[in-house]
Amino acid sequence: MAETESNHLSTSAGNTEPNNTNCKGIAAIKPQFLTTREKFHEFLDSGGNTAEKKTDSEEPKAEGGDDAAAEKGTGEPEPKRIKLDEQSDKDQKEGEKQQKKRAKGQNKTRPHVKPNAYDDKRLCPSVVQECAAKCFFGDKCKYLHDIPAYLKLKPADVGNKCYLHENFGKCQYGITCRFAKAHIGENFKNMVNEELVKNMEGKVMVKNALSKELQQNLRKRKFDFKASDAYLRQMSKGNKHGNVGKKDTDHQSVPEKVNEKSCTAEGQNNSSIDDPKDSLNSDTQPVVNTEAVLGIPCASEVGNISSSLDSQMGCGKNTSLKTLGAMTDEDIVKLRACEKKQVDFRDKLYLAPLTTCGNLPFRRICKRFGADITCGEMAMCTNLLQGQSSEWALLKRHHTEDIFGVQLEGSFPDTMTKCAELLNQTIDVDFVDINVGCPIDLVYKKGGGCGLMTRTNKFEQIVKGMNFVLDVPLTVKIRTGVQEKVSIAHKLIPDLKNWGVSLVTLHGRSREQRYTKSADWEYIDHCSKVASPMPLFGNGDILSYEDAMRARETGVSGIMIARGALIKPWIFTEIKEQRHWDISSSERFDNLKDFTNFGLEHWGSDTQGVEKTRKFILEWLSFLCRYVPVGLLEHVPQKLNERPPFYLGRDYLESLMASHNVGDWIKISEMLLGPVPSNFTFLPKHKANSYK
């Protein structure tokens, strides 16, 4: 998970003069575009009229100059007035200090308003879908069935064109759609474009949805975790004998290739020792060891840690297996590492899994700009095992995402292994990633995220267990370490390589650093040499193609982009074309339009879907406002740790997009999705992201 930083823009907090672009941490903007805070907001509030003009409300100066006017206004003698001014200046400075101190970290107490709170009186789904049969609940149904009564309560339509109806031929939200004028005919009937509907037949736009049957099986604990249970049983046996939890050296002596004769003989010998009952009945009821005859691993050694988990093909301690009914390949054959699905990660641009903002519509935007690898938002393995719909929504994959993975967070081998087996059987992914880089307290204190870097025994059990039940590559995302000056990633990487990890992504900061300092690319370079030949991706502080080129000069196999993609998703195009793109405000607004359409397709075009789309647009705008257009910079490129000062863009829209005030973000959302509801509230995830 790539968590967003919470550093407050301490510069220019109370300035009345244009910002000094030579200050550390402030982007260097051409002087003709710089302005003050007051003039900037005055310009936006006036709708684009110049803020430099004097307003009619300005009063003429009193006779005798400023001092006379001030003395006349306060009614105090000169010495006392000076003291009052000094005290007010002191109070103002104290207030600014308190404001800076408060504006750090996350808004942990921000209100979480559910989108359905803006739609109290909802229409019954049976009416929306125009079902022939009456509502199953009849008079007891809590939803409305009277369409004219519903229309009186429904908010005004946003526009006259429905994205869903235009692209798919039918809008499934019918009369509840906020663009219903485009497809509602006489008697409130939902019009359908038969030709488009026919063209869309058989096409699956989004995969990995949670079915009702699977959800019920998970909630009733009826899902069969056969491979995971076998692995966990063997792990518990190893714990009893003291084998697991230590750095095993026994498995290193097991030969990778074993001939069939030795495997058969060993299996026969072990069968007589491990099962005394079988040895007693061996004269009258011989047991055929099918696995030994075939010379392949038997089903009973599924969880053998000392051999199977490392080589995926060793004999280990075979036991005879009595079978009932026909035996299939799945019963006796386990995929070797070389037989698993392979993904070529090298020289790819990897969009990081981004909590909150890395949703499916945003990934579609980045994919269109040239991202090669995409990954879903961090998902909690315990929530997935419980069948929570909100958590499973993070696993959804659009058909345009050709290399797609999911990221799991957990701190225990049993839940992580079972979750990996669950996903392996139910969804379509190209790889599974373990989050070992999340720095937030909620995850770290439970032993997950960065906490796994110091819990190597549990970490090993998790990696080996997941790698054993998965048919796709297993990847890991880590940081340099937990403490700022104690880097431990280079010690973990050789172990990860031995445990069967296919790719490691290293964020060049520790947990304590968060995002306060620059990423350590020298250390990333060192770790890439340690990881070879296993591919290692570097991550941190990439906001331009020049940053990407410098990163590729190290030994990394590829680069992961996180905050840089949130600030300017066209960074993937810049890197591939090796140029600085001076993108116009209208092009940037078109990106927001596309995100809006993708959001309406993903979350729905009814009131609930519109407000959910608005919420994620506002979350994204808290990053987009940090972008400074190339044409306004004194020198390119802009650095990731450089915040923009107050400036007026080349047009009103460019200035509006540069605002750090949440009220202006809401104004942009209203240009796309219509007016906000009367009870609408929004507070950004981080305190530093919404100030005026």
Side-chain angles (χ1 to χ4, degrees):
M1 179 186 71
E3 184 203 355
T4 54
E5 77 280 11
S6 58
N7 299 326
H8 176 62
L9 177 59
S10 57
T11 58
S12 70
N15 293 354
T16 57
E17 296 298 327
N19 306 76
N20 181 8
T21 56
N22 294 324
C23 293
K24 185 178 179 180
I26 302 180
I29 295 180
K30 295 175 181 178
Q32 61 267 33
F33 296 105
L34 291 174
T35 186
T36 61
R37 179 200 302 268
E38 291 76 13
K39 291 179 179 178
F40 176 78
H41 290 294
E42 184 182 348
F43 176 78
L44 295 183
D45 294 341
S46 65
N49 297 326
T50 178
E52 304 295 334
K53 295 180 180 180
K54 294 182 180 179
T55 60
D56 297 335
S57 60
E58 290 183 359
E59 296 182 2
K61 291 183 179 180
E63 294 181 3
D66 294 340
D67 295 338
E71 189 170 344
K72 182 179 179 181
T74 59
E76 299 287 352
E78 180 71 15
K80 189 172 182 180
R81 184 178 60 79
I82 293 174
K83 289 183 179 180
L84 289 172
D85 290 344
E86 290 176 353
Q87 183 64 32
S88 63
D89 292 341
K90 185 178 180 180
D91 293 341
Q92 184 178 359
K93 290 180 181 179
E94 288 295 329
E96 290 173 4
K97 287 182 180 179
Q98 290 296 324
Q99 184 181 6
K100 292 178 185 179
K101 189 175 182 180
R102 285 195 302 267
K104 291 183 179 180
Q106 292 187 357
N107 285 314
K108 295 183 180 180
T109 58
R110 65 174 181 161
H112 290 278
V113 182
K114 293 184 178 180
N116 57 12
Y118 304 116
D119 194 11
D120 295 335
K121 301 295 183 180
R122 302 176 63 185
L123 199 61
C124 180
S126 64
V127 179
V128 176
Q129 301 299 328
E130 299 178 356
C131 299
K134 292 184 178 181
C135 177
F136 175 79
F137 298 96
D139 297 335
K140 295 182 180 180
C141 182
K142 63 180 180 179
Y143 298 117
L144 294 174
H145 291 77
D146 187 359
I147 294 180
Y150 168 77
L151 291 176
K152 292 180 181 179
L153 301 172
K154 179 187 172 185
D157 281 359
V158 176
N160 297 323
K161 292 184 178 181
C162 177
Y163 178 80
L164 299 181
H165 183 261
E166 287 185 349
N167 289 271
F168 302 101
K170 180 181 179 180
C171 177
Q172 60 180 334
Y173 299 94
I175 193 68
T176 63
C177 176
R178 294 291 298 277
F179 307 84
K181 294 178 182 178
H183 52 77
I184 295 298
E186 296 180 359
N187 299 324
F188 309 113
K189 293 295 182 181
N190 192 18
M191 295 186 294
V192 178
N193 187 331
E194 298 292 347
E195 184 178 353
L196 277 176
V197 171
K198 188 176 181 180
N199 292 335
M200 295 302 299
E201 282 183 2
K203 295 182 180 179
V204 180
M205 305 302 291
V206 178
K207 304 177 182 178
N208 303 344
L210 175 64
S211 65
K212 288 293 182 183
E213 180 183 1
L214 176 59
Q215 188 177 43
Q216 290 177 0
N217 288 337
L218 290 173
R219 289 178 175 176
K220 295 179 180 179
R221 299 185 179 181
K222 291 184 177 180
F223 191 88
D224 185 15
F225 297 100
K226 181 170 58 177
S228 299
D229 290 339
Y231 169 80
L232 294 171
R233 280 196 300 270
Q234 289 295 332
M235 189 181 73
S236 63
K237 289 181 182 178
N239 282 331
K240 290 179 182 178
H241 293 86
N243 294 330
V244 178
K246 298 179 182 179
K247 289 193 174 180
D248 267 337
T249 55
D250 295 341
H251 69 276
Q252 296 176 359
S253 61
V254 177
E256 294 185 1
K257 295 182 179 180
V258 184
N259 60 46
E260 297 181 5
K261 293 182 180 179
S262 62
C263 184
T264 305
E266 186 179 350
Q268 292 172 346
N269 292 335
N270 287 338
S271 65
S272 62
I273 297 173
D274 294 341
D275 199 345
K277 295 181 180 179
D278 287 348
S279 64
L280 292 174
N281 300 328
S282 59
D283 294 333
T284 58
Q285 189 178 355
V287 177
V288 179
N289 191 338
T290 310
E291 293 79 10
V293 174
L294 294 175
I296 55 179
C298 61
S300 61
E301 65 173 332
V302 169
N304 195 303
I305 297 174
S306 63
S307 60
S308 295
L309 296 182
D310 295 304
S311 65
Q312 302 290 331
M313 61 179 293
C315 293
K317 294 182 178 181
N318 289 340
T319 58
S320 299
L321 179 66
K322 295 181 180 179
T323 61
L324 181 64
M327 180 176 288
T328 64
D329 289 344
E330 293 181 357
D331 295 324
I332 58 176
V333 177
K334 176 64 186 175
L335 287 179
R336 294 175 292 178
C338 61
E339 295 174 335
K340 289 187 177 184
K341 180 178 180 179
Q342 301 296 317
V343 178
D344 183 13
F345 293 105
R346 297 183 184 276
D347 298 322
K348 299 286 194 303
L349 294 179
Y350 188 168
L351 173 64
L354 301 163
T355 302
T356 305
C357 293
N359 45 66
L360 186 144
F362 175 76
R363 297 198 304 269
R364 290 181 65 180
I365 295 288
C366 293
K367 192 67 187 174
R368 191 180 59 184
F369 280 119
D372 297 314
I373 306 173
T374 54
C375 186
E377 302 174 62
M378 180 188 74
M380 303 284 188
C381 66
T382 50
N383 295 344
L384 293 174
L385 290 172
Q386 293 169 4
Q388 292 187 13
S389 301
S390 58
E391 208 73 17
W392 275 82
L394 305 178
L395 310 180
K396 289 186 177 180
R397 172 184 191 172
H398 196 260
H399 72 95
T400 58
E401 299 179 273
D402 47 354
I403 304 179
F404 174 76
V406 294
Q407 187 183 67
L408 299 180
E409 184 280 323
S411 50
F412 298 101
D414 55 347
T415 54
M416 289 290 278
T417 304
K418 288 183 177 180
C419 189
E421 184 179 6
L422 170 65
L423 300 187
N424 191 65
Q425 296 184 31
T426 57
I427 68 172
D428 178 22
V429 291
D430 298 303
F431 64 92
V432 175
D433 186 69
I434 305 176
N435 186 320
V436 196
C438 182
I440 62 175
D441 294 338
L442 180 66
V443 173
Y444 178 76
K445 289 181 178 179
K446 293 180 180 179
C450 277
L452 281 176
M453 296 189 71
T454 56
R455 301 171 66 229
T456 52
N457 294 336
K458 292 293 183 185
F459 193 12
E460 178 182 2
Q461 293 169 5
I462 288 172
V463 171
K464 286 186 175 181
M466 293 180 66
N467 203 24
F468 189 73
V469 300
L470 285 173
D471 295 334
V472 294
L474 180 68
T475 66
V476 175
K477 186 175 187 291
I478 61 176
R479 285 178 176 254
T480 59
V482 177
Q483 299 174 341
E484 182 176 349
K485 297 182 180 179
V486 184
S487 298
I488 60 174
H490 64 284
K491 299 178 182 178
L492 276 176
I493 289 174
D495 290 334
L496 293 172
K497 188 163 49 173
N498 294 331
W499 297 342
V501 172
S502 300
L503 168 72
V504 172
T505 304
L506 177 59
H507 184 178
R509 295 182 181 88
S510 65
R511 176 183 181 266
E512 287 184 352
Q513 284 178 289
R514 292 291 180 96
Y515 298 90
T516 57
K517 295 184 180 180
S518 299
D520 190 352
W521 277 93
E522 291 184 4
Y523 183 69
I524 294 176
D525 184 24
H526 170 67
C527 289
S528 68
K529 294 179 174 62
V530 175
S532 182
M534 179 183 66
L536 183 140
F537 274 45
N539 170 231
D541 296 345
I542 296 177
L543 190 60
S544 66
Y545 85 88
E546 294 179 4
D547 296 333
M549 295 299 293
R550 280 192 293 269
R552 290 310 312 271
E553 290 174 0
T554 64
V556 297
S557 304
I559 55 177
M560 172 183 279
I561 303 174
R563 290 177 297 157
L566 290 173
I567 296 172
K568 44 185 280 192
W570 52 92
I571 185 175
F572 300 101
T573 301
E574 288 188 344
I575 293 173
K576 290 190 173 182
E577 298 181 1
Q578 296 191 12
R579 66 183 177 97
H580 295 294
W581 186 356
D582 189 10
I583 189 169
S584 65
S585 59
S586 59
E587 290 175 304
R588 293 166 64 192
F589 191 71
D590 287 340
N591 291 333
L592 290 173
K593 284 183 180 178
D594 291 337
F595 180 90
T596 301
N597 291 331
F598 296 158
L600 295 173
E601 178 185 341
H602 186 57
W603 292 302
S605 59
D606 57 349
T607 299
Q608 183 173 340
V610 165
E611 297 310 319
K612 197 164 188 178
T613 303
R614 189 194 306 275
K615 171 196 169 185
F616 285 107
I617 284 180
L618 294 173
E619 295 283 5
W620 187 22
L621 284 169
S622 68
F623 289 93
L624 286 173
C625 65
R626 293 179 53 182
Y627 172 71
V628 180
V630 174
L632 275 61
L633 290 169
E634 272 195 335
H635 54 78
V636 293
Q638 177 189 0
K639 297 296 183 182
L640 191 61
N641 57 355
E642 292 179 346
R643 292 274 187 144
F646 288 98
Y647 67 91
L648 294 177
R650 292 165 289 192
D651 54 47
Y652 175 74
L653 187 57
E654 194 167 71
S655 301
L656 185 63
M657 290 181 174
S659 175
H660 292 256
N661 179 25
V662 67
D664 294 322
W665 305 341
I666 293 175
K667 190 184 298 184
I668 294 175
S669 77
E670 290 181 327
M671 297 166 65
L672 298 162
L673 293 168
V676 297
S678 57
N679 58 338
F680 179 82
T681 58
F682 175 78
L683 194 63
K685 189 176 181 181
H686 296 89
K687 297 177 183 178
N689 284 349
S690 176
Y691 52 87
K692 186 169 182 177

